[in-house]
Coordinates of all heavy atoms in Angstrom, one line a residue:
A825 N 7.4 1.8 -1.7 CA 7.3 3.0 -0.9 C 5.9 3.2 -0.4 O 4.9 2.7 -1.1 CB 7.8 4.2 -1.7
I826 N 5.7 3.9 0.7 CA 4.3 4.2 1.2 C 3.5 5.0 0.1 O 4.1 5.9 -0.6 CB 4.4 5.0 2.5 CG1 3.0 5.2 3.1 CG2 5.2 6.3 2.3 CD1 3.1 5.8 4.5
D827 N 2.3 4.7 0.0 CA 1.4 5.5 -0.9 C 1.0 6.8 -0.2 O 0.3 6.8 0.8 CB 0.1 4.6 -1.1 CG -0.9 5.4 -1.9 OD1 -0.6 6.5 -2.4 OD2 -2.1 4.9 -2.0
S828 N 1.5 7.9 -0.7 CA 1.2 9.2 -0.1 C -0.2 9.6 -0.2 O -0.7 10.5 0.5 CB 2.1 10.3 -0.6 OG 1.9 10.4 -2.0
N829 N -1.0 9.0 -1.0 CA -2.5 9.2 -1.1 C -3.3 8.2 -0.3 O -4.4 8.0 -0.6 CB -2.9 9.2 -2.5 CG -2.3 10.4 -3.3 OD1 -2.3 11.5 -2.8 ND2 -1.9 10.2 -4.5
F830 N -2.6 7.6 0.8 CA -3.3 6.6 1.5 C -4.6 7.0 2.1 O -5.5 6.2 2.2 CB -2.4 6.1 2.6 CG -2.1 7.1 3.7 CD1 -2.9 7.2 4.8 CD2 -1.1 8.0 3.6 CE1 -2.7 8.1 5.8 CE2 -0.8 8.9 4.6 CZ -1.7 9.0 5.7
D831 N -4.7 8.3 2.5 CA -6.0 8.7 3.1 C -7.2 8.8 2.1 O -8.3 8.8 2.6 CB -5.8 10.1 3.8 CG -5.2 11.1 3.0 OD1 -4.6 10.8 1.9 OD2 -5.3 12.3 3.3
Q832 N -6.9 8.8 0.8 CA -7.9 8.6 -0.2 C -8.1 7.2 -0.6 O -9.2 6.7 -0.9 CB -7.6 9.5 -1.4 CG -7.8 11.0 -1.1 CD -6.7 11.8 -1.8 OE1 -6.5 11.7 -3.0 NE2 -6.1 12.7 -1.0
N833 N -7.0 6.4 -0.7 CA -7.0 5.1 -1.3 C -7.3 4.0 -0.3 O -7.5 2.8 -0.7 CB -5.7 4.8 -1.9 CG -5.4 5.7 -3.1 OD1 -6.3 6.3 -3.7 ND2 -4.1 5.9 -3.4
R834 N -7.3 4.3 1.0 CA -7.5 3.3 2.0 C -8.7 3.7 3.0 O -9.0 4.9 3.1 CB -6.3 3.1 2.9 CG -5.1 2.4 2.1 CD -3.9 2.4 3.0 NE -2.8 1.7 2.4 CZ -2.1 0.7 2.9 NH1 -2.5 0.2 4.0 NH2 -1.1 0.1 2.2
E835 N -9.2 2.7 3.6 CA -10.3 3.0 4.6 C -9.6 3.1 6.0 O -8.7 2.3 6.3 CB -11.3 1.8 4.7 CG -12.0 1.5 3.3 CD -13.1 2.5 3.1 OE1 -13.8 2.9 4.1 OE2 -13.3 2.9 1.9
R836 N -10.1 4.0 6.8 CA -9.7 4.1 8.2 C -10.2 2.9 8.9 O -11.4 2.6 8.9 CB -10.2 5.4 8.8 CG -9.5 5.6 10.1 CD -10.0 6.9 10.7 NE -9.8 6.8 12.2 CZ -9.3 7.8 12.9 NH1 -9.0 9.0 12.4 NH2 -9.1 7.7 14.2
A837 N -9.3 2.1 9.5 CA -9.7 0.8 10.1 C -9.9 0.9 11.6 O -10.4 -0.1 12.3 CB -8.7 -0.3 9.8
G838 N -9.4 2.0 12.2 CA -9.5 2.1 13.7 C -8.4 2.9 14.2 O -7.9 3.8 13.5
E839 N -8.0 2.7 15.5 CA -6.9 3.5 16.1 C -6.1 2.6 17.0 O -6.6 1.6 17.6 CB -7.7 4.5 17.0 CG -6.8 5.7 17.4 CD -7.6 6.8 18.1 OE1 -8.3 7.5 17.4 OE2 -7.4 7.0 19.3
E840 N -4.8 2.8 17.1 CA -3.9 2.1 18.0 C -3.0 3.1 18.6 O -2.4 3.9 17.9 CB -3.1 1.0 17.3 CG -3.8 -0.3 17.2 CD -3.1 -1.3 16.4 OE1 -1.8 -1.5 16.6 OE2 -3.7 -2.0 15.6
N841 N -2.7 3.0 19.9 CA -1.8 3.9 20.6 C -2.1 5.4 20.3 O -1.1 6.2 20.2 CB -0.3 3.5 20.2 CG 0.0 2.1 20.4 OD1 -0.3 1.5 21.5 ND2 0.4 1.4 19.4
G842 N -3.3 5.7 20.1 CA -3.7 7.1 19.9 C -3.6 7.6 18.5 O -3.8 8.8 18.2
V843 N -3.2 6.7 17.5 CA -3.1 7.2 16.1 C -4.0 6.4 15.2 O -4.3 5.2 15.5 CB -1.6 7.1 15.6 CG1 -0.6 7.9 16.5 CG2 -1.2 5.7 15.3
A844 N -4.4 7.0 14.1 CA -5.3 6.3 13.2 C -4.6 5.2 12.5 O -3.4 5.2 12.3 CB -5.8 7.3 12.2
V845 N -5.3 4.1 12.2 CA -4.8 3.0 11.4 C -5.6 2.9 10.1 O -6.9 2.9 10.2 CB -4.8 1.7 12.2 CG1 -4.3 0.5 11.3 CG2 -4.0 1.8 13.5
W846 N -4.9 2.9 9.0 CA -5.6 2.8 7.7 C -5.3 1.4 7.1 O -4.2 0.9 7.0 CB -4.9 3.8 6.7 CG -5.0 5.2 7.3 CD1 -4.2 5.8 8.2 CD2 -6.1 6.2 7.0 NE1 -4.7 7.1 8.5 CE2 -5.8 7.3 7.8 CE3 -7.2 6.2 6.1 CZ2 -6.6 8.5 7.7 CZ3 -7.9 7.3 6.1 CH2 -7.6 8.5 6.9
G847 N -6.4 0.7 6.8 CA -6.4 -0.7 6.4 C -5.9 -1.0 5.0 O -5.5 0.0 4.3
P848 N -5.9 -2.2 4.6 CA -6.4 -3.4 5.3 C -5.5 -3.9 6.4 O -4.3 -3.8 6.4 CB -6.4 -4.5 4.2 CG -5.4 -4.1 3.2 CD -5.3 -2.6 3.2
V849 N -6.2 -4.3 7.5 CA -5.5 -4.8 8.7 C -5.9 -6.3 8.8 O -7.1 -6.6 9.1 CB -5.8 -4.0 9.9 CG1 -5.2 -4.7 11.1 CG2 -5.4 -2.6 9.8
E850 N -4.9 -7.2 8.7 CA -5.1 -8.6 8.9 C -3.9 -9.2 9.6 O -3.0 -9.7 9.0 CB -5.3 -9.4 7.5 CG -6.5 -9.0 6.7 CD -6.5 -9.3 5.3 OE1 -5.7 -10.3 4.9 OE2 -7.1 -8.6 4.4
P851 N -3.9 -9.0 10.9 CA -2.7 -9.4 11.7 C -2.5 -11.0 11.7 O -3.5 -11.7 11.6 CB -3.0 -9.0 13.1 CG -4.4 -8.4 13.1 CD -4.9 -8.4 11.7
P852 N -1.3 -11.5 11.7 CA -0.1 -10.6 11.9 C 0.6 -10.2 10.6 O 1.5 -9.4 10.7 CB 0.9 -11.6 12.7 CG 0.5 -12.9 12.1 CD -1.0 -12.9 11.8
E853 N 0.1 -10.6 9.5 CA 0.8 -10.3 8.2 C 0.5 -8.8 7.7 O 1.5 -8.2 7.2 CB 0.3 -11.2 7.1 CG 0.8 -12.7 7.3 CD -0.2 -13.5 8.1 OE1 -1.3 -12.9 8.4 OE2 0.1 -14.6 8.5
K854 N -0.7 -8.3 7.8 CA -1.0 -7.0 7.3 C -1.4 -6.1 8.5 O -2.4 -6.3 9.1 CB -2.1 -7.1 6.3 CG -1.7 -7.7 5.0 CD -2.8 -7.5 3.9 CE -2.4 -8.1 2.6 NZ -3.3 -7.8 1.6
L855 N -0.6 -5.0 8.6 CA -0.8 -4.1 9.8 C -1.2 -2.7 9.4 O -1.5 -1.9 10.2 CB 0.4 -4.1 10.7 CG 0.8 -5.5 11.2 CD1 2.1 -5.4 12.0 CD2 -0.3 -6.1 12.1
G856 N -1.3 -2.5 8.1 CA -1.8 -1.2 7.6 C -0.8 0.0 7.8 O 0.4 -0.2 8.0
I857 N -1.3 1.2 7.6 CA -0.6 2.4 7.7 C -1.0 3.1 9.0 O -2.2 3.2 9.3 CB -0.8 3.4 6.5 CG1 -0.1 2.8 5.3 CG2 -0.3 4.8 6.8 CD1 -0.3 3.6 4.0
H858 N 0.0 3.4 9.8 CA -0.3 4.0 11.2 C 0.0 5.5 11.1 O 1.2 5.9 10.8 CB 0.5 3.4 12.2 CG 0.1 2.0 12.6 ND1 0.0 1.6 13.9 CD2 -0.4 0.9 11.8 CE1 -0.5 0.3 13.9 NE2 -0.7 -0.1 12.7
G859 N -1.0 6.3 11.5 CA -0.8 7.8 11.6 C -1.4 8.5 10.4 O -1.7 7.8 9.4
T860 N -1.5 9.8 10.5 CA -2.1 10.6 9.4 C -1.2 11.7 9.0 O -0.8 11.7 7.9 CB -3.5 11.1 9.9 OG1 -4.3 10.0 10.3 CG2 -4.2 11.8 8.7
H861 N -0.8 12.6 9.9 CA 0.1 13.7 9.5 C 1.5 13.0 9.3 O 2.2 13.3 8.4 CB 0.2 14.8 10.6 CG 1.1 15.8 10.2 ND1 0.9 16.7 9.2 CD2 2.4 16.1 10.6 CE1 1.9 17.5 9.0 NE2 2.9 17.2 9.9
V862 N 1.9 12.2 10.3 CA 3.1 11.4 10.1 C 2.6 10.0 10.0 O 2.1 9.4 10.9 CB 4.1 11.5 11.3 CG1 5.3 10.6 11.1 CG2 4.5 13.0 11.5
A863 N 2.8 9.4 8.8 CA 2.3 8.0 8.5 C 3.4 7.0 8.3 O 4.3 7.3 7.5 CB 1.3 8.1 7.3
V864 N 3.3 5.9 8.9 CA 4.2 4.8 8.7 C 3.5 3.6 8.1 O 2.6 3.1 8.7 CB 4.9 4.4 10.1 CG1 5.9 3.3 9.9 CG2 5.5 5.6 10.7
D865 N 4.0 3.1 7.0 CA 3.5 1.8 6.4 C 4.1 0.7 7.2 O 5.3 0.3 7.0 CB 3.7 1.8 4.9 CG 2.9 0.7 4.3 OD1 2.7 -0.4 4.9 OD2 2.5 0.8 3.1
Y866 N 3.3 0.0 8.0 CA 3.8 -1.1 8.8 C 4.2 -2.3 8.0 O 5.0 -3.1 8.5 CB 2.8 -1.4 9.9 CG 2.9 -0.7 11.2 CD1 3.4 0.6 11.2 CD2 2.6 -1.3 12.4 CE1 3.5 1.3 12.4 CE2 2.8 -0.7 13.6 CZ 3.2 0.6 13.6 OH 3.4 1.3 14.8
D867 N 3.7 -2.4 6.8 CA 4.0 -3.5 6.0 C 5.3 -3.3 5.2 O 5.8 -4.3 4.6 CB 2.8 -3.9 5.1 CG 1.6 -4.3 6.0 OD1 1.8 -5.0 7.0 OD2 0.5 -3.8 5.7
I868 N 5.8 -2.1 5.3 CA 7.1 -1.8 4.6 C 8.2 -1.6 5.6 O 9.4 -2.0 5.4 CB 7.0 -0.5 3.7 CG1 6.0 -0.8 2.6 CG2 8.3 -0.1 3.2 CD1 5.7 0.5 1.8
C869 N 7.9 -1.0 6.8 CA 8.9 -0.7 7.8 C 9.6 -2.0 8.2 O 9.0 -3.0 8.5 CB 8.2 -0.1 9.1 SG 9.3 0.0 10.5
L870 N 11.0 -1.9 8.2 CA 11.8 -3.1 8.7 C 12.6 -2.8 9.9 O 13.6 -3.5 10.2 CB 12.7 -3.6 7.5 CG 13.5 -2.6 6.6 CD1 14.5 -1.9 7.4 CD2 14.1 -3.4 5.5
A871 N 12.1 -1.8 10.7 CA 12.7 -1.5 12.0 C 14.1 -1.0 12.0 O 14.9 -1.3 12.9 CB 12.5 -2.8 13.0
D872 N 14.4 -0.3 11.0 CA 15.7 0.3 10.9 C 16.0 1.2 12.1 O 17.2 1.2 12.6 CB 15.8 1.1 9.6 CG 17.2 1.8 9.4 OD1 18.1 1.2 8.9 OD2 17.3 3.0 9.8
G873 N 15.1 2.0 12.5 CA 15.2 2.8 13.7 C 15.8 4.2 13.4 O 15.8 5.0 14.4
A874 N 16.3 4.5 12.2 CA 16.9 5.9 12.0 C 15.9 7.0 12.2 O 16.2 8.1 12.7 CB 17.4 5.9 10.6
C875 N 14.6 6.8 11.9 CA 13.6 7.8 12.1 C 13.5 8.1 13.6 O 13.5 9.3 14.0 CB 12.3 7.3 11.5 SG 11.7 5.8 12.2
L876 N 13.3 7.1 14.4 CA 13.1 7.2 15.8 C 14.4 7.9 16.5 O 14.3 8.8 17.3 CB 12.8 5.9 16.4 CG 12.6 5.8 17.9 CD1 11.6 4.7 18.2 CD2 13.9 5.5 18.7
E877 N 15.6 7.5 16.1 CA 16.8 8.0 16.7 C 17.1 9.4 16.3 O 17.7 10.1 17.0 CB 18.0 7.1 16.3 CG 18.0 5.7 16.9 CD 18.8 4.7 16.2 OE1 19.7 5.1 15.4 OE2 18.6 3.5 16.4
N878 N 16.6 9.9 15.1 CA 17.0 11.2 14.6 C 15.9 12.2 14.6 O 16.2 13.4 14.4 CB 17.5 11.0 13.2 CG 18.9 10.3 13.2 OD1 19.9 10.9 13.6 ND2 18.9 9.0 12.8
C879 N 14.6 11.8 14.9 CA 13.6 12.8 14.9 C 13.9 13.9 16.0 O 14.0 13.5 17.2 CB 12.2 12.2 15.1 SG 10.9 13.4 15.4
P880 N 13.9 15.1 15.7 CA 14.3 16.2 16.7 C 13.3 16.4 17.8 O 13.6 16.9 18.8 CB 14.5 17.4 15.8 CG 13.7 17.2 14.6 CD 13.7 15.7 14.3
V881 N 12.0 15.9 17.5 CA 11.0 16.1 18.6 C 10.4 14.8 19.1 O 9.3 14.8 19.7 CB 9.9 17.1 18.0 CG1 10.4 18.5 17.9 CG2 9.3 16.6 16.7
D882 N 11.1 13.7 18.8 CA 10.7 12.4 19.4 C 9.2 12.0 19.1 O 8.5 11.7 20.0 CB 10.9 12.4 20.9 CG 12.4 12.5 21.2 OD1 13.3 12.0 20.4 OD2 12.8 13.0 22.3
V883 N 8.9 12.0 17.8 CA 7.6 11.7 17.4 C 7.3 10.1 17.6 O 6.2 9.7 17.9 CB 7.3 12.1 15.9 CG1 6.2 11.3 15.3 CG2 7.1 13.6 15.8
F884 N 8.4 9.3 17.4 CA 8.2 7.9 17.3 C 8.5 7.1 18.6 O 9.3 7.5 19.4 CB 9.1 7.3 16.2 CG 8.9 8.0 14.9 CD1 9.8 9.0 14.4 CD2 7.9 7.6 14.0 CE1 9.6 9.6 13.2 CE2 7.7 8.2 12.8 CZ 8.6 9.2 12.4
T885 N 7.7 6.0 18.7 CA 8.0 5.0 19.8 C 7.9 3.6 19.2 O 7.2 3.4 18.3 CB 7.0 5.1 20.9 OG1 5.7 5.1 20.4 CG2 7.1 6.4 21.7
W886 N 8.7 2.7 19.8 CA 8.7 1.3 19.3 C 7.5 0.6 19.7 O 7.0 0.8 20.9 CB 9.9 0.6 19.8 CG 11.3 0.9 19.2 CD1 12.3 1.4 19.8 CD2 11.7 0.7 17.8 NE1 13.4 1.6 19.0 CE2 13.0 1.2 17.7 CE3 11.0 0.2 16.7 CZ2 13.7 1.1 16.5 CZ3 11.7 0.2 15.5 CH2 13.0 0.6 15.4
V887 N 7.0 -0.2 18.9 CA 5.9 -1.2 19.3 C 6.3 -2.6 18.7 O 7.0 -2.7 17.7 CB 4.5 -0.8 18.7 CG1 4.1 0.5 19.3 CG2 4.5 -0.8 17.2
D888 N 5.9 -3.6 19.5 CA 6.2 -5.0 19.0 C 5.1 -5.4 18.1 O 3.9 -5.2 18.3 CB 6.2 -5.9 20.3 CG 7.4 -5.6 21.2 OD1 8.4 -5.2 20.6 OD2 7.2 -5.8 22.4
T889 N 5.6 -6.1 17.0 CA 4.6 -6.7 16.0 C 5.0 -8.1 15.7 O 5.5 -8.4 14.7 CB 4.7 -5.8 14.7 OG1 6.0 -5.8 14.2 CG2 4.2 -4.4 14.9
P890 N 4.8 -9.0 16.7 CA 5.2 -10.4 16.6 C 4.6 -11.0 15.4 O 3.5 -10.8 15.1 CB 4.8 -11.0 17.9 CG 3.8 -10.1 18.5 CD 4.1 -8.7 18.0
D891 N 5.5 -11.8 14.7 CA 5.1 -12.6 13.5 C 4.8 -11.8 12.3 O 4.3 -12.4 11.3 CB 3.9 -13.5 13.9 CG 4.3 -14.5 15.0 OD1 5.4 -15.0 15.0 OD2 3.4 -14.8 15.8
H892 N 5.1 -10.5 12.3 CA 5.0 -9.8 11.0 C 6.1 -10.2 10.1 O 7.3 -10.3 10.6 CB 5.0 -8.3 11.2 CG 4.7 -7.5 9.9 ND1 5.7 -7.2 9.0 CD2 3.6 -7.2 9.3 CE1 5.2 -6.6 8.0 NE2 3.9 -6.6 8.1
P893 N 5.9 -10.5 8.8 CA 6.9 -11.1 8.0 C 8.1 -10.2 7.7 O 9.2 -10.7 7.4 CB 6.2 -11.4 6.7 CG 4.9 -10.7 6.7 CD 4.6 -10.5 8.2
V894 N 8.0 -8.9 7.8 CA 9.1 -8.0 7.6 C 10.0 -7.7 8.8 O 11.2 -7.7 8.7 CB 8.6 -6.7 6.9 CG1 9.8 -5.8 6.7 CG2 7.9 -7.0 5.6
S895 N 9.3 -7.5 9.9 CA 10.1 -7.2 11.2 C 9.1 -7.3 12.4 O 7.9 -7.1 12.2 CB 10.7 -5.8 11.1 OG 9.7 -4.8 11.0
E896 N 9.7 -7.6 13.5 CA 8.9 -7.8 14.7 C 8.8 -6.6 15.6 O 8.3 -6.7 16.7 CB 9.4 -9.0 15.5 CG 9.3 -10.3 14.6 CD 9.1 -11.6 15.4 OE1 9.7 -11.7 16.5 OE2 8.4 -12.5 14.9
Q897 N 9.3 -5.4 15.1 CA 9.1 -4.2 15.7 C 8.7 -3.2 14.6 O 9.2 -3.3 13.5 CB 10.3 -3.7 16.5 CG 10.5 -4.3 17.9 CD 11.5 -3.6 18.6 OE1 12.6 -3.3 18.2 NE2 11.2 -3.1 19.9
K898 N 8.0 -2.1 15.0 CA 7.7 -1.0 14.1 C 7.7 0.3 14.9 O 7.7 0.2 16.1 CB 6.2 -1.2 13.5 CG 5.9 -2.5 12.9 CD 6.7 -2.8 11.6 CE 6.3 -4.2 11.1 NZ 7.1 -4.6 9.9
V899 N 7.7 1.4 14.2 CA 7.6 2.7 14.9 C 6.2 3.3 14.8 O 5.7 3.4 13.7 CB 8.7 3.7 14.4 CG1 10.0 3.3 14.9 CG2 8.6 3.9 12.9
E900 N 5.7 3.6 16.0 CA 4.4 4.3 16.0 C 4.6 5.8 16.1 O 5.4 6.2 16.9 CB 3.6 3.8 17.3 CG 2.2 4.1 17.3 CD 1.4 3.2 16.5 OE1 1.3 3.3 15.3 OE2 0.8 2.2 17.1
P901 N 3.9 6.6 15.2 CA 4.1 8.0 15.3 C 3.2 8.6 16.4 O 2.4 9.5 16.2 CB 3.6 8.5 13.9 CG 2.6 7.5 13.5 CD 3.1 6.1 14.1
T902 N 3.5 8.2 17.6 CA 2.7 8.5 18.8 C 2.5 10.0 19.0 O 1.4 10.4 19.4 CB 3.3 7.9 20.0 OG1 3.8 6.6 19.7 CG2 2.4 7.8 21.2
N903 N 3.6 10.7 18.8 CA 3.5 12.2 19.0 C 3.5 12.9 17.7 O 4.2 14.0 17.5 CB 4.8 12.6 19.8 CG 4.8 11.9 21.2 OD1 3.8 11.7 21.8 ND2 6.0 11.4 21.5
E904 N 2.7 12.5 16.7 CA 2.7 13.1 15.4 C 2.2 14.6 15.5 O 2.6 15.3 14.6 CB 1.8 12.3 14.4 CG 0.3 12.2 14.7 CD -0.5 11.4 13.7 OE1 0.0 11.3 12.6 OE2 -1.6 11.0 14.0
D905 N 1.5 14.9 16.5 CA 1.0 16.3 16.6 C 2.2 17.3 17.0 O 2.1 18.5 16.8 CB -0.1 16.5 17.7 CG 0.3 15.9 19.0 OD1 1.1 14.9 19.1 OD2 -0.2 16.4 20.0
Q906 N 3.4 16.7 17.4 CA 4.5 17.5 17.7 C 5.4 17.7 16.5 O 6.4 18.5 16.5 CB 5.4 16.8 18.8 CG 4.6 16.5 20.1 CD 4.3 17.7 20.8 OE1 5.2 18.6 21.1 NE2 3.1 17.9 21.2
C907 N 5.1 17.0 15.4 CA 6.0 17.1 14.2 C 6.2 18.5 13.7 O 5.2 19.3 13.6 CB 5.4 16.2 13.1 SG 6.2 16.3 11.5
I908 N 7.5 18.8 13.3 CA 7.8 20.2 12.8 C 8.1 20.1 11.3 O 8.6 21.1 10.7 CB 9.0 20.8 13.6 CG1 10.2 19.9 13.5 CG2 8.6 21.1 15.0 CD1 11.5 20.5 14.0
D909 N 7.7 19.1 10.7 CA 7.8 18.9 9.2 C 9.2 19.1 8.7 O 9.4 19.7 7.6 CB 6.9 19.9 8.5 CG 5.4 19.7 8.8 OD1 5.1 18.6 9.3 OD2 4.6 20.6 8.6
C910 N 10.2 18.6 9.4 CA 11.6 18.8 8.9 C 11.9 17.8 7.8 O 12.9 18.0 7.1 CB 12.5 18.6 10.1 SG 12.7 16.9 10.7
M911 N 11.1 16.8 7.7 CA 11.2 15.7 6.6 C 12.4 14.8 6.8 O 12.7 14.0 5.9 CB 11.2 16.4 5.2 CG 10.0 17.2 4.9 SD 8.5 16.3 5.4 CE 7.7 16.1 3.8
L912 N 13.1 14.9 7.9 CA 14.3 14.1 8.1 C 13.9 12.6 8.0 O 14.6 11.8 7.4 CB 14.9 14.4 9.4 CG 16.2 13.7 9.8 CD1 17.1 14.6 10.7 CD2 16.0 12.4 10.6
C913 N 12.8 12.2 8.7 CA 12.5 10.8 8.7 C 12.1 10.3 7.4 O 12.5 9.1 7.0 CB 11.3 10.6 9.7 SG 9.8 11.5 9.3
V914 N 11.4 11.1 6.6 CA 11.1 10.7 5.2 C 12.3 10.4 4.4 O 12.4 9.5 3.6 CB 10.2 11.8 4.6 CG1 10.0 11.5 3.1 CG2 8.9 12.0 5.3
D915 N 13.3 11.3 4.5 CA 14.5 11.2 3.7 C 15.4 10.1 4.2 O 16.2 9.5 3.4 CB 15.3 12.5 3.8 CG 14.6 13.6 3.1 OD1 13.7 13.3 2.3 OD2 14.8 14.8 3.4
I916 N 15.4 9.8 5.5 CA 16.4 8.8 6.1 C 15.9 7.4 6.0 O 16.8 6.5 6.0 CB 16.7 9.2 7.5 CG1 18.1 8.8 7.9 CG2 15.7 8.7 8.5 CD1 18.6 9.4 9.2
C917 N 14.6 7.1 6.0 CA 14.2 5.7 6.0 C 14.6 5.0 4.8 O 14.4 5.4 3.6 CB 12.6 5.7 6.1 SG 12.0 4.0 6.0
P918 N 15.4 3.9 4.9 CA 15.9 3.1 3.8 C 14.9 2.5 2.9 O 15.2 2.1 1.8 CB 16.8 2.1 4.5 CG 16.2 1.9 5.8 CD 15.7 3.2 6.2
V919 N 13.7 2.3 3.4 CA 12.7 1.7 2.6 C 11.5 2.6 2.3 O 10.4 2.1 1.8 CB 12.2 0.3 3.2 CG1 13.3 -0.7 3.1 CG2 11.8 0.6 4.7
E920 N 11.6 3.9 2.5 CA 10.6 4.9 2.2 C 9.2 4.5 2.8 O 8.2 4.5 2.1 CB 10.5 5.1 0.7 CG 11.8 5.7 0.1 CD 11.7 5.9 -1.4 OE1 10.7 6.3 -1.9 OE2 12.7 5.6 -2.0
A921 N 9.2 4.1 4.1 CA 8.0 3.7 4.8 C 7.2 4.8 5.3 O 6.1 4.6 5.8 CB 8.4 2.7 5.9
I922 N 7.8 6.1 5.3 CA 7.2 7.2 6.0 C 6.7 8.3 5.0 O 7.4 8.6 4.1 CB 8.1 7.8 7.1 CG1 8.7 6.7 8.0 CG2 7.4 8.9 7.8 CD1 9.7 7.3 9.0
D923 N 5.5 8.8 5.3 CA 5.0 10.0 4.6 C 4.6 11.0 5.6 O 4.0 10.7 6.6 CB 3.7 9.6 3.8 CG 3.2 10.8 3.0 OD1 3.9 11.3 2.1 OD2 2.1 11.2 3.3
V924 N 5.1 12.3 5.4 CA 4.7 13.4 6.2 C 4.0 14.4 5.3 O 4.6 14.8 4.3 CB 6.0 14.0 6.9 CG1 5.6 15.3 7.6 CG2 6.6 13.0 7.9
D925 N 2.8 14.7 5.7 CA 2.0 15.7 4.9 C 2.3 17.1 5.4 O 1.6 17.6 6.3 CB 0.5 15.3 5.1 CG -0.3 16.3 4.2 OD1 0.2 17.0 3.4 OD2 -1.6 16.2 4.4
A926 N 3.3 17.7 4.8 CA 3.7 19.0 5.2 C 2.9 20.2 4.5 O 3.2 21.3 4.8 CB 5.2 19.2 4.9
S927 N 1.9 19.8 3.7 CA 1.2 20.9 3.0 C 0.2 21.6 3.9 O -0.2 21.1 5.0 CB 0.4 20.3 1.8 OG -0.5 19.3 2.3
Ligands
LIG1218 FE1 10.2 14.0 13.2 FE2 10.9 15.6 11.2 FE3 9.8 13.3 10.7 FE4 8.3 15.2 11.7 S1 9.2 15.2 9.7 S2 8.3 13.1 12.4 S3 9.7 16.3 13.1 S4 11.8 13.6 11.7
LIG1219 FE1 10.9 1.7 10.0 FE2 12.1 3.3 8.2 FE3 11.9 4.1 10.7 S1 12.3 1.1 8.3 S2 12.0 2.2 11.9 S3 10.2 3.7 9.3 S4 13.6 4.4 9.4

C-alpha cells in the first residue's frame, strides 16, 4: 500500500501534468508518487481504473507509462484541487495505491 507519510519520507522530485512527483524517480521502472492532496503511488497502481470511473468530481486522467513493470497506464490526479474528500477512490482501489489527506 502507499505510504501515507510520503511527504515526510520522500523527496519532492519535480512536477508532471501540474502535480507534484515524490521520488525516487528512475524511469521506466520507478515513477514515484504523483500528487499531494490526492496521491497515487505509480509503482503500485496497476491501472484498474475504478478510481477514475467512480470519482464524483473527475479528479483523475489516464497517462501512458510505457515499460513500467506493473502497468503501462496510470492515473494522474490532475484535478486534485477539486477533491471533496469522499474517500471512494481510497476504498475502491484493489491495491491501495491512493492516499487522500482529508485532515
Ligand atoms: Fe475523487 Fe473522492 Fe478520491 Fe477525492 S476522495 S479523488 S473526490 S474519489
Ligand atoms: Fe490505479 Fe487503483 Fe486507480 S490500481 S487506476 S489507482 S483504482
Side-chain angles (χ1 to χ4, degrees):
I826 186 171
D827 173 11
S828 58
N829 293 319
F830 67 89
D831 52 340
Q832 287 140 52
N833 296 337
R834 292 175 175 236
E835 300 283 324
R836 192 179 156 139
E839 197 173 290
E840 271 176 48
N841 306 307
V843 307
V845 179
W846 304 82
V849 176
E850 293 161 27
E853 291 88 5
K854 287 192 179 184
L855 299 176
I857 289 176
H858 285 223
T860 304
H861 180 73
V862 179
V864 180
D865 192 324
Y866 268 34
D867 298 317
I868 297 175
C869 172
L870 43 64
D872 177 87
C875 57
L876 180 146
E877 288 161 20
N878 291 286
C879 174
V881 291
D882 295 332
V883 162
F884 303 101
T885 51
W886 287 118
V887 298
D888 291 327
T889 55
D891 299 322
H892 187 271
V894 177
S895 62
E896 300 209 324
Q897 280 192 308
K898 311 288 178 185
V899 287
E900 194 79 278
T902 317
N903 302 316
E904 64 179 339
D905 56 328
Q906 302 292 309
C907 175
I908 57 170
D909 298 343
C910 73
M911 302 312 244
L912 184 149
C913 59
V914 172
D915 294 337
I916 208 170
C917 176
V919 288
E920 298 179 40
I922 306 178
D923 180 66
V924 172
D925 181 9
S927 59

